[in-house]
Amino acid sequence: EHPQTVALILVYMAPEQAGAVLSQLQPELQSEIAMRIAILQKTAPEVLEQLDELLGRRLTLTGSDFAKAGGVQSLAQVMQYVDRETEKNILEGLAKRDPEIATEVKNLLFVFEDIINLDDRAIQRVLKEVDGKDLALALKTANDDLKALIFKNMSARASSTLKEEIELLGPTRMRDVGKSQQTIVDVIRTLEEQGTIVV
C-alpha cells in the first residue's frame, strides 16, 4: 500500500521475484516504486525501522548493509525480470520524474534493440537457441538495420524462410511482439550468465 514500504521489501527480495511483483502492480505505482528503489541509498536508515515493524522481527542489517540496498543498479537488476510493458512504463515514468536516473537505468538494461551491438558470433549463437516463430514476431516491428543484421547471420535459406514468416504474420498485437522480444532477451541474458556470449 505504501510505495516506500513496497520499495524496501522489493529490494530485499530476489530480483526475479521483485520483477514479478513489480509487473503485477498498477502502472502508476510501478514508476513511483521504481523511483523509490533508485533513490533508496539516499534514504535515511530510519526506514529500516519501518521494515522491522512490517516484518515483525529485528533485521540483522547494519547501516553499512543498508547503504548497499537499492540504487540505480538494484533497480536495473529487478527490471531485467519485468515484462516489456512494465519496463516501458517505468522508464517513461522515471524520465518525467528524473531524466538523469532514467538514463542511468536505461544504460544498465539490455533491451531487444541492443542486439545491434552484439558481434556476429554472439548473434549466431543466440539464433541457435531461439524459436523461429518468436524470432519472426520479435522482428515484426524491428528497424531495417536490425533485421539486416539478423538475416546476415543466417544461411540464405533460413533468412528467406524468416522473411516469409514475417510477411505472413499480418497485423499483430504489440503485446505479442513485446513478449517474443522479451523471450529472446531472456535467452541472451542466460547465454551471458553462462559466459557463452559477451554482451
Side-chain angles (χ1 to χ4, degrees):
E1 277 181 35
H2 193 288
Q4 178 73 17
T5 311
V6 177
L8 276 165
I9 293 169
L10 292 185
V11 157
Y12 290 107
M13 282 174 125
E16 301 95 300
Q17 289 175 308
V21 172
L22 202 49
S23 297
Q24 298 301 315
L25 298 173
Q26 292 168 334
E28 59 275 14
L29 258 181
Q30 289 171 343
S31 53
E32 165 79 11
I33 288 163
M35 186 69 197
R36 284 171 188 266
I37 292 173
I39 60 170
L40 205 52
Q41 284 171 318
K42 302 181 183 109
T43 311
E46 291 89 75
V47 283
L48 271 180
E49 288 170 25
Q50 296 171 21
L51 200 53
D52 281 342
E53 273 174 51
L54 193 85
L55 299 175
R57 62 186 174 86
R58 295 298 306 161
L59 287 168
T60 52
L61 292 162
T62 63
S64 61
D65 286 326
F66 184 75
K68 291 176 209 152
V72 171
Q73 217 141 8
S74 181
L75 175 59
Q77 263 185 317
V78 171
M79 282 180 65
Q80 304 281 10
Y81 298 97
V82 301
D83 59 50
R84 206 47 203 261
E85 261 177 80
T86 301
E87 184 180 281
K88 189 169 171 282
N89 180 44
I90 288 173
L91 288 173
E92 281 172 9
L94 288 178
K96 282 179 201 157
R97 287 176 161 86
D98 190 323
E100 212 175 296
I101 284 180
T103 305
E104 274 184 68
V105 173
K106 218 180 258 185
N107 290 343
L108 290 168
L109 283 178
F110 184 94
V111 293
F112 183 74
E113 291 73 19
D114 291 333
I115 290 173
I116 202 106
N117 300 319
L118 296 178
D119 62 30
D120 289 347
R121 199 189 66 81
I123 290 170
Q124 287 157 20
R125 186 69 186 80
V126 171
L127 290 173
K128 277 184 191 169
E129 304 288 329
V130 167
D131 180 75
K133 283 192 177 70
D134 271 329
L135 189 59
L137 203 48
L139 288 173
K140 176 78 177 162
T141 59
N143 64 46
D144 291 344
D145 289 347
L146 182 51
K147 282 180 186 164
L149 185 65
I150 298 289
F151 296 144
K152 186 185 88 151
N153 280 288
M154 300 175 101
S155 68
R157 192 170 157 213
S159 69
S160 119
T161 306
L162 180 60
K163 282 172 192 169
E164 270 174 46
E165 274 190 48
I166 294 170
E167 275 167 40
L168 288 171
L169 280 172
T172 45
R173 290 187 311 177
M174 279 310 291
R175 178 180 287 234
D176 294 334
V177 172
K179 219 172 177 184
S180 291
Q181 290 182 347
Q182 192 59 51
T183 302
I184 293 168
V185 168
D186 290 342
V187 167
I188 291 167
R189 284 173 186 154
T190 304
L191 290 172
E192 186 196 19
E193 277 164 28
Q194 293 167 352
T196 311
I197 63 170
V198 176
V199 172

